[in-house]
């Protein structure tokens, strides 16, 4: 097994995760089995308790692990499903070591920060690699070189490199700022300092990825190589891109694949990035646009916060657009404005489609319900994800099923019609203040109703419809309908007591848990609406650039049709 560590230089948010994922893709395209690990240097055991507006989206894996959004990049780029083994934080490593110490797992000896913590890190990396029978494990170390927090992880790199020098590479993804009126005077000095910081912990990078606005010229590459004592050809250009899926192709322009194989002593194989080249062409030549409104409570300030909190939703929409030879245009619509001024709802008519993503709490909820009503009545394609599905059910209950003041008990515990309510088992955990454990997390199966929009969408893409990880031991053959598996992260559910009433009024629960207790998909029939569908799960976590999620594909198809019409 070979190891490639990826660390960041100069500053954060330069796309280290995407670079790490792209390195993996380049190697995968050479026929190598690749897996990826993200290390986050914070003390939180996982990302479950973190605020997405501060730290970005909480990404969920099949096994329910709540982790950093970079895991989403890995799954999307590598088209693999990962597990807890692929994610590590300072907190999780310490928790494991301390738990073992309490259980006499160290045979009475003194346990030290060094080397016991780095050794535990290496152990976890090896386990993850073995689990996927990987030829190469890519390990991204969060944070930036020079931070105190990631020193123990860098020590793990040093130890592993010391033990297996031929098997371990270290890549530094570093920011190269530009100065001058045209912004094209690239400055390498901050990166030289980052390399020097690495030197001070006994490390030398094998590759430096120069993240800059433009591709690095030969002079800049040579300067970095000379000043940092790097081998010729070790500096790889990582310029800004319009579309992140171009990055593996860009890296190959600098012959990254061959260079890595050579350094690791692996046999060179032919590169197959055909699908990715085709995708790049599609994005370049797409002539249609899907104007998508993302509606929710106040989204925060600045684009950075918005895109990071909903990254999987945005990527899933992009994938579905590419599959429809279109490009998305995103608008962030604050739902609170419709509470103050319902006339503003008319402005929604110009969008091709409306998405209400997942969320928590009461802010802007009445505004969202008005938006759902507007989309339903004016036949604007609507896709509700988790909260977006629950609020669609509330809207339908109130305005179509005649259940006035129906609500979710997340907002109104006294509502006369709790159409969305907490499950008894979750309620117990919440009463114990076990917030971490009170959510339904990870992959669960659902059965689709024949002839529904959901069924039609999934059957067009049989591969995705095959359930990959079934938690409850249900065999597809034991069930009549089509079985899917999707990822969840929520506390509340459609209340079974109201299903009959809602269905009588024309709403369709087209996806249910195999025991039929939990409602997974709510939709309106095609005869009533071009596309109106909500999912209790988060389909965005399973969309991949070359195999977009079927529900997003159908939503975008309907959106483009509306725009054309
Ligand atoms: N707040 C809702 C719940 O907990 C929806 C969660 C979500 O959208 N992820 O059930």
């Amino acid at each position: 097994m070979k190891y490639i560590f990826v660390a960041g230089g100069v500053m954060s948010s330069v796309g280290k995760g995407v670079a790490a994922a792209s390195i993996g893709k380049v190697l995968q395209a050479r026929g190598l089995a690749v897996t990826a690990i993200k290390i986050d240097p914070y003390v939180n055991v996982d990302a479950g308790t973190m605020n997405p507006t501060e730290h970005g989206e909480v990404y969920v894996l099949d096994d329910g692990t709540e982790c950093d959004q970079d895991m989403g990049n890995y799954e999307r780029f590598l088209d693999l499903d990962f597990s807890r083994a692929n994610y590590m934080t300072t907190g999780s490593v310490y928790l494991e070591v301390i738990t073992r110490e309490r259980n006499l797992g160290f045979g009475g000896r003194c346990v030290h920060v060094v080397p016991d913590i780095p050794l535990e890190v290496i152990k976890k990396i090896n386990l993850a690699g073995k689990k996927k029978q990987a030829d190469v494990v890519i390990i991204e170390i969060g944070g930036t070189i020079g931070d105190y927090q990631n020193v123990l992880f860098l020590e793990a790199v040093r130890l592993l490199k010391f033990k297996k020098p031929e098997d371990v590479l270290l890549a530094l993804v570093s920011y190269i700022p530009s100065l001058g009126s045209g912004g094209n005077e690239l400055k390498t000095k901050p990166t030289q300092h980052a390399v020097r910081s690495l030197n001070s912990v006994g490390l030398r990078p094998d590759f430096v990825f120069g993240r800059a606005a433009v591709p690095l010229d030969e002079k800049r590459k040579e300067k970095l190589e000379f000043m940092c004592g790097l081998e010729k050809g070790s500096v790889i250009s990582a310029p800004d891109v319009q579309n992140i899926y171009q990055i593996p192709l860009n890296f190959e322009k600098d012959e990254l694949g061959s260079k890595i194989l050579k350094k690791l002593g692996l046999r060179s194989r032919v590169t197959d990035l055909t699908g990715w080249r085709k995708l790049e062409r599609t994005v370049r030549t797409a002539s249609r646009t899907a104007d998508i409104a993302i509606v929710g409570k106040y989204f925060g300030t600045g684009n950075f916060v918005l895109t990071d909190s909903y990254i999987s939703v945005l990527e899933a929409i992009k994938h579905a657009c590419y599959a429809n030879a279109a490009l998305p245009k995103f608008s962030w619509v604050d739902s609170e404005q419709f509470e103050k001024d319902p006339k503003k709802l008319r402005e929604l008519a110009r969008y091709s489609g409306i998405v209400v993503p997942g969320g928590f709490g009461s802010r802007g909820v009445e505004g969202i319900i008005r938006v759902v009503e507007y989309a339903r009545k004016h036949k604007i394609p609507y896709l509700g994800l988790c909260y977006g599905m629950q609020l669609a059910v509330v809207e339908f209950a109130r305005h179509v099923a005649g259940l006035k003041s129906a609500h979710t008990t997340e907002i109104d515990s006294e509502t006369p019609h709790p159409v969305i309510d907490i499950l008894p088992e979750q309620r117990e955990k919440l009463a114990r203040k076990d917030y971490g454990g009170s959510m339904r997390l990870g992959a669960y199966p659902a059965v689709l109703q024949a002839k529904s929009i959901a069924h039609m969408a999934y059957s067009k893409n049989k591969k995705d419809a095959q359930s990959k990880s079934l938690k409850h031991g249900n065999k597809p053959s034991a069930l009549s309908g089509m079985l899917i598996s999707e990822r969840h992260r929520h506390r509340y559910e459609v209340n079974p007591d109201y299903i009959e009433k809602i269905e009588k009024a024309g709403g369709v629960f087209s996806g249910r848990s195999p025991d039929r207790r939990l409602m997974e998909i709510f939709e309106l029939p095609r005869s009533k609406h071009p596309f109106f569908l909500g999912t209790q799960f988060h389909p965005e976590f399973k969309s991949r650039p070359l195999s977009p999620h079927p529900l997003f594909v159908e939503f975008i198809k309907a959106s483009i049709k509306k725009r054309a019409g």
Side-chain angles (χ1 to χ4, degrees), residues 358-360 385-387 390 410 489-492 538:
F360 295 84
L385 307 168
C386 205
Y387 215 13
Q390 296 175 351
E410 179 171 354
R489 184 172 190 260
H490 61 108
R491 287 193 184 92
Y492 295 81
H538 289 272

Side-chain angles (χ1 to χ4, degrees), residues 35 99 148 290 365 404 409 423 443 449 458:
T35 192
T99 309
Y148 283 133
V365 156
K404 270 207 187 100
T409 52
L423 290 178
Q449 181 176 311
Y458 279 93

Side-chain angles (χ1 to χ4, degrees), residues 286-292 321 324-330 350-353 556-564:
S287 55
R288 305 195 282 187
T289 310
D291 260 297
I292 304 299
C321 280
N324 282 292
L327 295 181
K329 184 167 170 269
F330 296 111
R350 69 187 162 96
Y351 295 110
S352 328
I556 292 297
K557 203 174 276 170
S559 301
I560 292 171
K561 219 172 178 176
K562 174 193 176 269
R563 196 182 148 96

